Amino acid sequence: MLAAVGVAALVAAVAVPLDRPGLGWPVAGLAATTALVTATMRRGDGSAAPGGGLAGRPADPAPGTTDTGGVAKDTARPGATGAPGRADQPLTGRAARGAWAVAALALLAVGAVRDAGWLVVLCLLAAAPVAALAVAGGRTGRGMLTAVRMSAVAPARSLPWARRSMSAANAGATVGRSLVSVAVSIALLVVFGLLFSSADAVFAGLVTDLVPAGSPPDLLGWGVRLLVAGPLLLGGAYLLAAPPRLADLRFAPGRPVRRREWVLPLALLDALFAVFVLVQLTVLFGGSDHVLRTGGLTYAEYARSGFWQLLAVSGLTLLVIGGAARWAPRTTRADRLLIRVLLGALTALSLVVVASALYRVRVYTDAYGATRLRLFVATVECCLGLLFGYVGVAVLRLRAGWLPALAAGTAVAALLTLAVLNPDRLIAEQNVDRYLRSGRLDAGYLAGLSADAAPALARLPEPQRSCALDGIRDRLVTEDDWRTVNLGRARARQLLDAHPILTAGLTCPWPQRW
């Protein structure tokens, strides 16, 4: 297992590109997955178990459980809302962790097909906690947070574990012989590789492409990536060798408050939401004339002025619902009925608020064109709408053990859906269609899009087409090697080779907008 982790770390150090999205990210992800699978194939002796436990000794029962003869019996109240009744039936732990592993690899694969750096960065950031869930497990809210926290500290705790493992197996001499074997292998590869390179130019070119550049900055970056990837992979193997029991880890139930202490605030908040929803319906059916008469704003100004506030309202409402579900009593039928009515009404009204925010984004986009920020916040609002739908179901059932995993899965699915839709190309297409209808175009903004947008920008007439594609062409001057192979850039190069842009006498009116 340690050898597999070392090889995967070397692959990550060689393959991962930091200057632009490329194939190296999914290659490193596949190598890491293959190496970590070895940690699940065979459990070591007691010295290899995390924490130094004895072989065959069962793990300590998770919080909220009691140990009855080696079988953990759940004593916590089922469901995040604490409602009486049977617990939600989860997927098996191995299947759930396998699904998270596939999701993490899919997020890493975005770097090989999309050139939009902002999207690739979001996917890489999301891949880290998703990989933590694949390694450590956890399906409840507390279990998932604990999995991410344990994965963050696992690299440090894995070092003494690896040392104990080698010492218990009496591997000192074996390690020494292995190091000698590795050194001999490297020496043979270098000597014969140099001889073959000098004998054949084609083989020399292949070696040049495969071996990282040898300048000090390149070697330093390679070493830094190795030092980062090695401990991370070792930490993952540490958790997989003896997985923590997080499936039933739950937050302790909150201390219930008296009925009047929570019913009055929620009832007043429901009334405020209802008034706002009535105003939104008036605006929706009244249209721009109503806004101009009553607000003194243009329709676009009206949309821009309220979107961010509505986004904040959506997030705060989720906190209010979570607090009420935690502290509101539900011992009697009347209590449970009040929870369903008040929280259900707040959830339904919040869906209207989300719809209003999405409507404002659409109005603003129609007025000023599509941008990355507007597309991203619209995606966030759609996710919030789905989340409110999930919350509504949980409120009606008074059980929400399935909610945290489904919410996290929805966020991952949203990012992957964006990658499939090709956001930069979608933005370019909407702006090009808007230009063909109205003659308005922010060519300077479009020129800053990634190579993914090239096919849509090619639909513009000249000279707008050449001005919009000029920036993309400049960024494609540097050729890709195997680490930075990218489908979006490859398609853009093919398009520009087949239909070159104008260069003679090209003057782009920055920052003037056509």
Side-chain angles (χ1 to χ4, degrees), residues 255-268 323-324 327-329 335 338 342:
R255 182 179 179 181
V257 299
R258 288 177 293 183
R259 184 183 299 174
R260 64 175 178 270
E261 293 176 348
W262 70 272
V263 168
L264 179 61
L266 276 183
L268 293 177
W327 289 296
D335 289 332
L338 283 173
L342 294 178

Side-chain angles (χ1 to χ4, degrees), residues 77 107 119 175 242 445:
R77 181 177 294 179
L107 290 170
L119 176 64
V175 171
Y445 178 82

